[in-house]
Amino acid sequence: MSLLEVKGLTVRFGGLVALDGVDVALGEGETLGVIGPNGSGKTTLFNTLTGLYAAAAGEVLFLGQRLSGLETHAIARRGIARTFQSSRLCLELSVFDNILIGMHAHRRTGLLDSLLRRDRLRSEMSQAIERAAHLLSLFNPALPRRGLERVGQLPQIDRRRVEICRALASQPRLVLLDEPSAGMSPEETAQLMKDLQIVREEMPGLSVMVIEHDMFVIEGVSQRVVALSYGRKIAEGSFAAVSARDEVREAYLGGEAARA
């Protein structure tokens, strides 16, 4: 059984068909790249998988259970986490605070503990900080030492690292990365690719779907690639096979340029 099965997924915004009968499957521990030109439906796919958009048709199965109609927080508790192309970090909060937000769904203590059982709350917070520091160290050994600094003080690559750590903090089975290299230099992008490989070695059972315009990132981290154009899946397979398809080249370059 696939970890994730997307069957005939269709999303409409009025008369605009943003996704048109898309089928995607993802196995446990697999990294799937999602490519396509602007407006092809990539982020719409992520938004639908995480409950931000409702599907007009089709279904999404995660571990064999339907996700249709579930709220975003319920989908997160099932084991799907994500990042966004535009950072959603709380820049005025500390690095640790941002990551602790990602652990909210798994907290065992609440208001009553903060009032009457402070030792229990203190123990859970200590464990959470240790977990956050460990996640940060996978990306950059120096980051845990900056855990109490405002995240807005960090360079772009470290902000991306913190955002990915926040997603990983929820202990997901599947993480969706939307343009993780956006706004970074080629050197920073290359370093982030190395970071992601380290994370995969640390968490071999974690499944990843990644949207990227940088084909070097897609080629470097993906085991399989799906290409979208105008909301339809036009190719699927290895990076080499998909990138060689005429339909994919035409989608990116236009008919005449692709033939040239």
mmCIF file with all atom_site columns, all heavy atoms in Angstrom, residues 9 32 36 68 71 76 84 102 114 137 152 155 159 180 187 211 227 239 256:
data_model
loop_
_atom_site.group_PDB
_atom_site.id
_atom_site.type_symbol
_atom_site.label_atom_id
_atom_site.label_alt_id
_atom_site.label_comp_id
_atom_site.label_asym_id
_atom_site.label_entity_id
_atom_site.label_seq_id
_atom_site.pdbx_PDB_ins_code
_atom_site.Cartn_x
_atom_site.Cartn_y
_atom_site.Cartn_z
_atom_site.occupancy
_atom_site.B_iso_or_equiv
_atom_site.pdbx_formal_charge
_atom_site.auth_seq_id
_atom_site.auth_comp_id
_atom_site.auth_asym_id
_atom_site.auth_atom_id
_atom_site.pdbx_PDB_model_num
ATOM 1   N N   . LEU A 1 9   ? -7.673  13.784 -8.782  1.00 0.00 ? 9   LEU A N   1
ATOM 2   C CA  . LEU A 1 9   ? -7.887  15.008 -8.017  1.00 0.00 ? 9   LEU A CA  1
ATOM 3   C C   . LEU A 1 9   ? -8.158  16.192 -8.943  1.00 0.00 ? 9   LEU A C   1
ATOM 4   O O   . LEU A 1 9   ? -7.361  16.509 -9.832  1.00 0.00 ? 9   LEU A O   1
ATOM 5   C CB  . LEU A 1 9   ? -6.657  15.309 -7.149  1.00 0.00 ? 9   LEU A CB  1
ATOM 6   C CG  . LEU A 1 9   ? -6.835  16.381 -6.077  1.00 0.00 ? 9   LEU A CG  1
ATOM 7   C CD1 . LEU A 1 9   ? -7.883  15.939 -5.055  1.00 0.00 ? 9   LEU A CD1 1
ATOM 8   C CD2 . LEU A 1 9   ? -5.512  16.666 -5.374  1.00 0.00 ? 9   LEU A CD2 1
ATOM 9   N N   . LEU A 1 32  ? 9.646   12.499 -3.852  1.00 0.00 ? 32  LEU A N   1
ATOM 10  C CA  . LEU A 1 32  ? 9.020   12.772 -5.140  1.00 0.00 ? 32  LEU A CA  1
ATOM 11  C C   . LEU A 1 32  ? 9.156   14.245 -5.463  1.00 0.00 ? 32  LEU A C   1
ATOM 12  O O   . LEU A 1 32  ? 8.753   15.105 -4.669  1.00 0.00 ? 32  LEU A O   1
ATOM 13  C CB  . LEU A 1 32  ? 7.539   12.384 -5.103  1.00 0.00 ? 32  LEU A CB  1
ATOM 14  C CG  . LEU A 1 32  ? 6.720   12.686 -6.360  1.00 0.00 ? 32  LEU A CG  1
ATOM 15  C CD1 . LEU A 1 32  ? 7.129   11.757 -7.497  1.00 0.00 ? 32  LEU A CD1 1
ATOM 16  C CD2 . LEU A 1 32  ? 5.227   12.554 -6.082  1.00 0.00 ? 32  LEU A CD2 1
ATOM 17  N N   . GLY A 1 36  ? 7.008   21.881 -12.926 1.00 0.00 ? 36  GLY A N   1
ATOM 18  C CA  . GLY A 1 36  ? 6.064   22.458 -13.877 1.00 0.00 ? 36  GLY A CA  1
ATOM 19  C C   . GLY A 1 36  ? 6.225   23.957 -13.892 1.00 0.00 ? 36  GLY A C   1
ATOM 20  O O   . GLY A 1 36  ? 6.702   24.547 -12.918 1.00 0.00 ? 36  GLY A O   1
ATOM 21  N N   . SER A 1 68  ? -10.301 13.717 2.569   1.00 0.00 ? 68  SER A N   1
ATOM 22  C CA  . SER A 1 68  ? -11.277 14.695 2.088   1.00 0.00 ? 68  SER A CA  1
ATOM 23  C C   . SER A 1 68  ? -12.189 15.164 3.220   1.00 0.00 ? 68  SER A C   1
ATOM 24  O O   . SER A 1 68  ? -12.723 14.359 3.997   1.00 0.00 ? 68  SER A O   1
ATOM 25  C CB  . SER A 1 68  ? -12.134 14.078 0.978   1.00 0.00 ? 68  SER A CB  1
ATOM 26  O OG  . SER A 1 68  ? -11.326 13.619 -0.076  1.00 0.00 ? 68  SER A OG  1
ATOM 27  N N   . GLU A 1 71  ? -10.117 19.040 8.458   1.00 0.00 ? 71  GLU A N   1
ATOM 28  C CA  . GLU A 1 71  ? -9.494  20.333 8.696   1.00 0.00 ? 71  GLU A CA  1
ATOM 29  C C   . GLU A 1 71  ? -7.975  20.193 8.627   1.00 0.00 ? 71  GLU A C   1
ATOM 30  O O   . GLU A 1 71  ? -7.428  19.098 8.773   1.00 0.00 ? 71  GLU A O   1
ATOM 31  C CB  . GLU A 1 71  ? -9.901  20.884 10.065  1.00 0.00 ? 71  GLU A CB  1
ATOM 32  C CG  . GLU A 1 71  ? -11.391 21.129 10.220  1.00 0.00 ? 71  GLU A CG  1
ATOM 33  C CD  . GLU A 1 71  ? -11.869 22.332 9.423   1.00 0.00 ? 71  GLU A CD  1
ATOM 34  O OE1 . GLU A 1 71  ? -11.015 23.147 9.022   1.00 0.00 ? 71  GLU A OE1 1
ATOM 35  O OE2 . GLU A 1 71  ? -13.087 22.447 9.200   1.00 0.00 ? 71  GLU A OE2 1
ATOM 36  N N   . ALA A 1 76  ? -2.701  17.432 9.738   1.00 0.00 ? 76  ALA A N   1
ATOM 37  C CA  . ALA A 1 76  ? -1.373  17.496 10.347  1.00 0.00 ? 76  ALA A CA  1
ATOM 38  C C   . ALA A 1 76  ? -1.205  16.398 11.393  1.00 0.00 ? 76  ALA A C   1
ATOM 39  O O   . ALA A 1 76  ? -0.146  15.764 11.483  1.00 0.00 ? 76  ALA A O   1
ATOM 40  C CB  . ALA A 1 76  ? -1.145  18.868 10.967  1.00 0.00 ? 76  ALA A CB  1
ATOM 41  N N   . PHE A 1 84  ? 6.101   26.492 3.204   1.00 0.00 ? 84  PHE A N   1
ATOM 42  C CA  . PHE A 1 84  ? 5.514   27.341 2.178   1.00 0.00 ? 84  PHE A CA  1
ATOM 43  C C   . PHE A 1 84  ? 6.624   28.048 1.404   1.00 0.00 ? 84  PHE A C   1
ATOM 44  O O   . PHE A 1 84  ? 7.717   28.278 1.922   1.00 0.00 ? 84  PHE A O   1
ATOM 45  C CB  . PHE A 1 84  ? 4.584   28.384 2.799   1.00 0.00 ? 84  PHE A CB  1
ATOM 46  C CG  . PHE A 1 84  ? 3.345   27.805 3.424   1.00 0.00 ? 84  PHE A CG  1
ATOM 47  C CD1 . PHE A 1 84  ? 3.377   27.276 4.707   1.00 0.00 ? 84  PHE A CD1 1
ATOM 48  C CD2 . PHE A 1 84  ? 2.151   27.781 2.720   1.00 0.00 ? 84  PHE A CD2 1
ATOM 49  C CE1 . PHE A 1 84  ? 2.239   26.744 5.285   1.00 0.00 ? 84  PHE A CE1 1
ATOM 50  C CE2 . PHE A 1 84  ? 1.003   27.250 3.292   1.00 0.00 ? 84  PHE A CE2 1
ATOM 51  C CZ  . PHE A 1 84  ? 1.043   26.724 4.575   1.00 0.00 ? 84  PHE A CZ  1
ATOM 52  N N   . GLY A 1 102 ? 5.631   23.827 15.989  1.00 0.00 ? 102 GLY A N   1
ATOM 53  C CA  . GLY A 1 102 ? 5.407   22.610 15.211  1.00 0.00 ? 102 GLY A CA  1
ATOM 54  C C   . GLY A 1 102 ? 5.126   21.390 16.060  1.00 0.00 ? 102 GLY A C   1
ATOM 55  O O   . GLY A 1 102 ? 4.612   20.383 15.554  1.00 0.00 ? 102 GLY A O   1
ATOM 56  N N   . SER A 1 114 ? 0.280   23.958 33.550  1.00 0.00 ? 114 SER A N   1
ATOM 57  C CA  . SER A 1 114 ? 1.033   25.197 33.762  1.00 0.00 ? 114 SER A CA  1
ATOM 58  C C   . SER A 1 114 ? 0.677   25.852 35.093  1.00 0.00 ? 114 SER A C   1
ATOM 59  O O   . SER A 1 114 ? 1.463   26.616 35.652  1.00 0.00 ? 114 SER A O   1
ATOM 60  C CB  . SER A 1 114 ? 0.787   26.176 32.609  1.00 0.00 ? 114 SER A CB  1
ATOM 61  O OG  . SER A 1 114 ? -0.554  26.626 32.596  1.00 0.00 ? 114 SER A OG  1
ATOM 62  N N   . SER A 1 137 ? 20.642  20.855 14.659  1.00 0.00 ? 137 SER A N   1
ATOM 63  C CA  . SER A 1 137 ? 22.019  20.395 14.476  1.00 0.00 ? 137 SER A CA  1
ATOM 64  C C   . SER A 1 137 ? 22.190  19.552 13.218  1.00 0.00 ? 137 SER A C   1
ATOM 65  O O   . SER A 1 137 ? 23.296  19.463 12.675  1.00 0.00 ? 137 SER A O   1
ATOM 66  C CB  . SER A 1 137 ? 22.478  19.605 15.702  1.00 0.00 ? 137 SER A CB  1
ATOM 67  O OG  . SER A 1 137 ? 21.795  18.365 15.807  1.00 0.00 ? 137 SER A OG  1
ATOM 68  N N   . GLY A 1 152 ? 14.179  36.315 12.942  1.00 0.00 ? 152 GLY A N   1
ATOM 69  C CA  . GLY A 1 152 ? 14.364  37.360 11.945  1.00 0.00 ? 152 GLY A CA  1
ATOM 70  C C   . GLY A 1 152 ? 15.799  37.827 11.824  1.00 0.00 ? 152 GLY A C   1
ATOM 71  O O   . GLY A 1 152 ? 16.150  38.509 10.847  1.00 0.00 ? 152 GLY A O   1
ATOM 72  N N   . PRO A 1 155 ? 20.207  34.559 8.620   1.00 0.00 ? 155 PRO A N   1
ATOM 73  C CA  . PRO A 1 155 ? 20.251  34.660 7.157   1.00 0.00 ? 155 PRO A CA  1
ATOM 74  C C   . PRO A 1 155 ? 19.197  33.763 6.524   1.00 0.00 ? 155 PRO A C   1
ATOM 75  O O   . PRO A 1 155 ? 18.633  32.872 7.179   1.00 0.00 ? 155 PRO A O   1
ATOM 76  C CB  . PRO A 1 155 ? 21.666  34.197 6.816   1.00 0.00 ? 155 PRO A CB  1
ATOM 77  C CG  . PRO A 1 155 ? 22.082  33.335 7.960   1.00 0.00 ? 155 PRO A CG  1
ATOM 78  C CD  . PRO A 1 155 ? 21.420  33.928 9.175   1.00 0.00 ? 155 PRO A CD  1
ATOM 79  N N   . ARG A 1 159 ? 16.904  30.561 7.988   1.00 0.00 ? 159 ARG A N   1
ATOM 80  C CA  . ARG A 1 159 ? 15.450  30.658 8.159   1.00 0.00 ? 159 ARG A CA  1
ATOM 81  C C   . ARG A 1 159 ? 14.761  29.470 7.499   1.00 0.00 ? 159 ARG A C   1
ATOM 82  O O   . ARG A 1 159 ? 13.808  28.901 8.048   1.00 0.00 ? 159 ARG A O   1
ATOM 83  C CB  . ARG A 1 159 ? 14.933  31.958 7.562   1.00 0.00 ? 159 ARG A CB  1
ATOM 84  C CG  . ARG A 1 159 ? 15.373  33.213 8.281   1.00 0.00 ? 159 ARG A CG  1
ATOM 85  C CD  . ARG A 1 159 ? 14.664  34.424 7.714   1.00 0.00 ? 159 ARG A CD  1
ATOM 86  N NE  . ARG A 1 159 ? 15.294  35.671 8.134   1.00 0.00 ? 159 ARG A NE  1
ATOM 87  C CZ  . ARG A 1 159 ? 14.835  36.880 7.835   1.00 0.00 ? 159 ARG A CZ  1
ATOM 88  N NH1 . ARG A 1 159 ? 13.727  37.002 7.117   1.00 0.00 ? 159 ARG A NH1 1
ATOM 89  N NH2 . ARG A 1 159 ? 15.467  37.957 8.246   1.00 0.00 ? 159 ARG A NH2 1
ATOM 90  N N   . PRO A 1 180 ? 11.842  25.067 -1.431  1.00 0.00 ? 180 PRO A N   1
ATOM 91  C CA  . PRO A 1 180 ? 12.724  25.298 -0.283  1.00 0.00 ? 180 PRO A CA  1
ATOM 92  C C   . PRO A 1 180 ? 13.933  26.174 -0.594  1.00 0.00 ? 180 PRO A C   1
ATOM 93  O O   . PRO A 1 180 ? 14.483  26.803 0.319   1.00 0.00 ? 180 PRO A O   1
ATOM 94  C CB  . PRO A 1 180 ? 13.156  23.883 0.124   1.00 0.00 ? 180 PRO A CB  1
ATOM 95  C CG  . PRO A 1 180 ? 12.966  23.054 -1.104  1.00 0.00 ? 180 PRO A CG  1
ATOM 96  C CD  . PRO A 1 180 ? 11.767  23.636 -1.792  1.00 0.00 ? 180 PRO A CD  1
ATOM 97  N N   . GLU A 1 187 ? 25.095  28.760 -4.001  1.00 0.00 ? 187 GLU A N   1
ATOM 98  C CA  . GLU A 1 187 ? 25.901  28.113 -2.961  1.00 0.00 ? 187 GLU A CA  1
ATOM 99  C C   . GLU A 1 187 ? 25.026  27.671 -1.800  1.00 0.00 ? 187 GLU A C   1
ATOM 100 O O   . GLU A 1 187 ? 25.185  26.559 -1.256  1.00 0.00 ? 187 GLU A O   1
ATOM 101 C CB  . GLU A 1 187 ? 26.988  29.067 -2.461  1.00 0.00 ? 187 GLU A CB  1
ATOM 102 C CG  . GLU A 1 187 ? 28.062  29.411 -3.483  1.00 0.00 ? 187 GLU A CG  1
ATOM 103 C CD  . GLU A 1 187 ? 27.595  30.426 -4.516  1.00 0.00 ? 187 GLU A CD  1
ATOM 104 O OE1 . GLU A 1 187 ? 26.537  31.090 -4.296  1.00 0.00 ? 187 GLU A OE1 1
ATOM 105 O OE2 . GLU A 1 187 ? 28.269  30.566 -5.566  1.00 0.00 ? 187 GLU A OE2 1
ATOM 106 N N   . ILE A 1 211 ? 8.442   20.684 -4.282  1.00 0.00 ? 211 ILE A N   1
ATOM 107 C CA  . ILE A 1 211 ? 8.240   21.537 -5.453  1.00 0.00 ? 211 ILE A CA  1
ATOM 108 C C   . ILE A 1 211 ? 9.479   22.388 -5.611  1.00 0.00 ? 211 ILE A C   1
ATOM 109 O O   . ILE A 1 211 ? 9.955   22.994 -4.656  1.00 0.00 ? 211 ILE A O   1
ATOM 110 C CB  . ILE A 1 211 ? 7.010   22.453 -5.254  1.00 0.00 ? 211 ILE A CB  1
ATOM 111 C CG1 . ILE A 1 211 ? 5.714   21.642 -5.221  1.00 0.00 ? 211 ILE A CG1 1
ATOM 112 C CG2 . ILE A 1 211 ? 6.943   23.504 -6.358  1.00 0.00 ? 211 ILE A CG2 1
ATOM 113 C CD1 . ILE A 1 211 ? 4.497   22.485 -4.847  1.00 0.00 ? 211 ILE A CD1 1
ATOM 114 N N   . ALA A 1 227 ? 5.573   15.761 -13.493 1.00 0.00 ? 227 ALA A N   1
ATOM 115 C CA  . ALA A 1 227 ? 5.513   17.063 -14.157 1.00 0.00 ? 227 ALA A CA  1
ATOM 116 C C   . ALA A 1 227 ? 4.059   17.438 -14.399 1.00 0.00 ? 227 ALA A C   1
ATOM 117 O O   . ALA A 1 227 ? 3.270   16.622 -14.892 1.00 0.00 ? 227 ALA A O   1
ATOM 118 C CB  . ALA A 1 227 ? 6.268   17.027 -15.480 1.00 0.00 ? 227 ALA A CB  1
ATOM 119 N N   . PHE A 1 239 ? 14.088  11.516 -13.139 1.00 0.00 ? 239 PHE A N   1
ATOM 120 C CA  . PHE A 1 239 ? 14.357  12.880 -13.589 1.00 0.00 ? 239 PHE A CA  1
ATOM 121 C C   . PHE A 1 239 ? 14.840  12.880 -15.030 1.00 0.00 ? 239 PHE A C   1
ATOM 122 O O   . PHE A 1 239 ? 14.383  13.698 -15.844 1.00 0.00 ? 239 PHE A O   1
ATOM 123 C CB  . PHE A 1 239 ? 15.393  13.547 -12.694 1.00 0.00 ? 239 PHE A CB  1
ATOM 124 C CG  . PHE A 1 239 ? 15.799  14.915 -13.182 1.00 0.00 ? 239 PHE A CG  1
ATOM 125 C CD1 . PHE A 1 239 ? 15.017  16.018 -12.895 1.00 0.00 ? 239 PHE A CD1 1
ATOM 126 C CD2 . PHE A 1 239 ? 16.950  15.084 -13.952 1.00 0.00 ? 239 PHE A CD2 1
ATOM 127 C CE1 . PHE A 1 239 ? 15.372  17.279 -13.362 1.00 0.00 ? 239 PHE A CE1 1
ATOM 128 C CE2 . PHE A 1 239 ? 17.315  16.340 -14.416 1.00 0.00 ? 239 PHE A CE2 1
ATOM 129 C CZ  . PHE A 1 239 ? 16.530  17.437 -14.126 1.00 0.00 ? 239 PHE A CZ  1
ATOM 130 N N   . GLU A 1 256 ? 7.852   26.209 -30.100 1.00 0.00 ? 256 GLU A N   1
ATOM 131 C CA  . GLU A 1 256 ? 8.924   26.480 -31.054 1.00 0.00 ? 256 GLU A CA  1
ATOM 132 C C   . GLU A 1 256 ? 10.298  26.370 -30.403 1.00 0.00 ? 256 GLU A C   1
ATOM 133 O O   . GLU A 1 256 ? 11.223  25.791 -30.975 1.00 0.00 ? 256 GLU A O   1
ATOM 134 C CB  . GLU A 1 256 ? 8.754   27.875 -31.659 1.00 0.00 ? 256 GLU A CB  1
ATOM 135 C CG  . GLU A 1 256 ? 7.512   28.020 -32.548 1.00 0.00 ? 256 GLU A CG  1
ATOM 136 C CD  . GLU A 1 256 ? 7.447   29.379 -33.196 1.00 0.00 ? 256 GLU A CD  1
ATOM 137 O OE1 . GLU A 1 256 ? 8.403   30.154 -33.024 1.00 0.00 ? 256 GLU A OE1 1
ATOM 138 O OE2 . GLU A 1 256 ? 6.443   29.645 -33.863 1.00 0.00 ? 256 GLU A OE2 1
#
